[in-house]
Amino acid sequence: MYRSLTGTPRDVALLVARLLLAYIMVMHSWKKIDAGLFDTAAVFAKFGIPLAIGAAAFTIVVELVFSLSVALGVRMVVPGALMTFVMAGAIWFVHGKNGLFMADNGWALVGTIICATLILMSSGPGRFSVDELLARQAARRMEQTQAIPRQTVSV
């Protein structure tokens, strides 16, 4: 019977997946930053994206915040949901009509980004993450709080 990875191999795989996805998304957003907000907005407008300047700024911010969140493994659900929304918009407005394959400017890369994002949102970032570090610290504080004997005060 096939089983998923567990323990350290799972956590290493999640770390590598997070770092690769973060790198891809940083480079994805860097193209927009390098072009400049107004040129990026002009491209968005050409594709029929409404409120192109706002959409371009929103997309750049989401891609950068998502990249940082995923790389560190911290609070990935909200940035992941926003990234899924941005990538779904990319399929709707730009890539969907071109079919699947990237050679035709299709939606394969964007769909893969959505898949990776949804998997990381549902699996969590793994042990090698800021979220795990924060969870361990919270558990230690909780243990310390429970270990302190309670004193009763009589009136």
Side-chain angles (χ1 to χ4, degrees):
M1 178 164 140
Y2 177 76
R3 296 183 183 206
S4 323
L5 291 174
T6 58
T8 300
R10 173 188 178 272
D11 295 319
V12 169
L14 286 169
L15 175 63
V16 170
R18 285 188 0 245
L19 293 175
L20 284 172
L21 182 58
Y23 177 72
I24 289 166
M25 292 317 304
V26 163
M27 298 311 291
H28 211 76
S29 63
W30 183 253
K31 282 182 69 178
K32 294 172 187 71
I33 293 167
D34 191 42
L37 180 59
F38 294 108
D39 286 346
T40 299
V43 171
F44 277 34
K46 184 181 88 171
F47 286 120
I49 298 172
L51 304 168
I53 189 75
F58 178 78
T59 298
I60 291 167
V61 169
V62 167
E63 288 177 351
L64 289 174
V65 169
F66 174 77
S67 298
L68 183 62
S69 173
V70 168
L72 296 174
V74 62
R75 310 291 185 239
M76 297 186 321
V77 174
V78 172
L82 293 172
M83 178 54 62
T84 301
F85 174 76
V86 166
M87 291 295 112
I91 291 172
W92 181 264
F93 288 104
V94 181
H95 302 285
K97 64 183 174 269
N98 299 323
L100 175 67
F101 299 105
M102 289 174 45
D104 301 322
N105 198 28
W107 60 272
L109 174 62
V110 177
T112 302
I113 291 168
I114 290 173
C115 289
T117 300
L118 294 174
I119 289 168
L120 288 173
M121 286 171 61
S122 59
S123 70
R127 188 174 64 201
F128 306 121
S129 66
V130 171
D131 272 354
E132 180 65 23
L133 179 66
L134 294 173
R136 280 191 223 147
Q137 288 176 347
R140 273 191 229 114
R141 281 194 299 274
M142 184 66 86
E143 288 172 7
Q144 290 170 350
T145 303
Q146 292 173 350
I148 297 172
R150 295 179 189 234
Q151 297 177 352
T152 57
V153 177
S154 54
V155 181

